[in-house]
Amino acid sequence: MPTNIRALDRLILRVIAFFLRDPRLFFRYIAVGGASALLEYSVFNVLYSVVGLATLVANSIAIVIAVIFHFNMQKRWTFRDSQSLRRQLPRYLMMVGIAAVLNNLLVYLFVEVMLLPPALAKLFQIGLLFGWTFTVSRLLVFSHQAR
């Protein structure tokens, strides 16, 4: 087997080991992400369909509520972290901001440059950003070593 394939195999195994080092943590992260997405979707629909707010107003409020919920649940339940908000919140908001920019850049790259169907592009973007945000959350935002 060529050296570059063996190196790639080792890298893949290390990535899998990183994500599954603590399977309960990983699955709690997934659960909180799913709950956050459901909350954002539900709040948006209530504000838009029931309350009658404009689309972007309803969406913006839903995003803010989901981000607050997501941060609190990741801090308290997923990572069970007791660091001060003054240290964590700026790192978390920076991660969310970078993720928002990467979100659009990846979708643009996949759709406009690589000519993938938008639905497939969105799935790839979600997968890549999931991996990135989990890694940043674990190593920088909610890590005891990041103090």
Side-chain angles (χ1 to χ4, degrees), residues 14-128:
R14 286 174 39 198
V15 168
I16 292 169
F18 172 79
F19 282 102
L20 297 179
R21 184 174 299 143
D22 183 349
R24 288 179 38 211
L25 176 92
F26 184 68
F27 290 114
R28 284 193 307 259
Y29 189 84
I30 292 171
V32 169
S36 298
L38 183 62
L39 175 66
E40 181 180 337
Y41 183 76
S42 299
V43 168
F44 169 78
N45 279 311
V46 167
L47 292 176
Y48 177 74
S49 301
V50 177
V51 177
L53 294 180
T55 305
L56 293 180
V57 173
N59 190 53
S60 296
I61 292 170
I63 288 170
V64 168
I65 290 170
V67 165
I68 291 168
F69 171 80
H70 188 264
F71 174 78
N72 282 308
M73 290 300 294
Q74 295 296 17
K75 177 178 178 56
R76 290 173 173 42
W77 186 61
T78 302
F79 294 99
R80 298 179 181 174
D81 196 286
S82 61
Q83 290 184 69
S84 75
L85 281 176
R86 287 186 10 212
R87 295 184 139 223
Q88 283 180 322
L89 193 56
R91 290 188 295 232
Y92 178 80
L93 292 175
M94 186 182 317
M95 178 190 72
V96 169
I98 292 170
V101 171
L102 288 174
N103 184 326
N104 285 323
L105 286 174
L106 287 170
V107 169
Y108 176 82
L109 173 71
F110 292 147
V111 172
E112 301 298 329
V113 176
M114 298 175 71
L115 304 175
L116 295 176
L120 181 61
K122 188 65 178 167
L123 286 176
F124 284 158
Q125 171 268 309
I126 288 169
L128 289 171

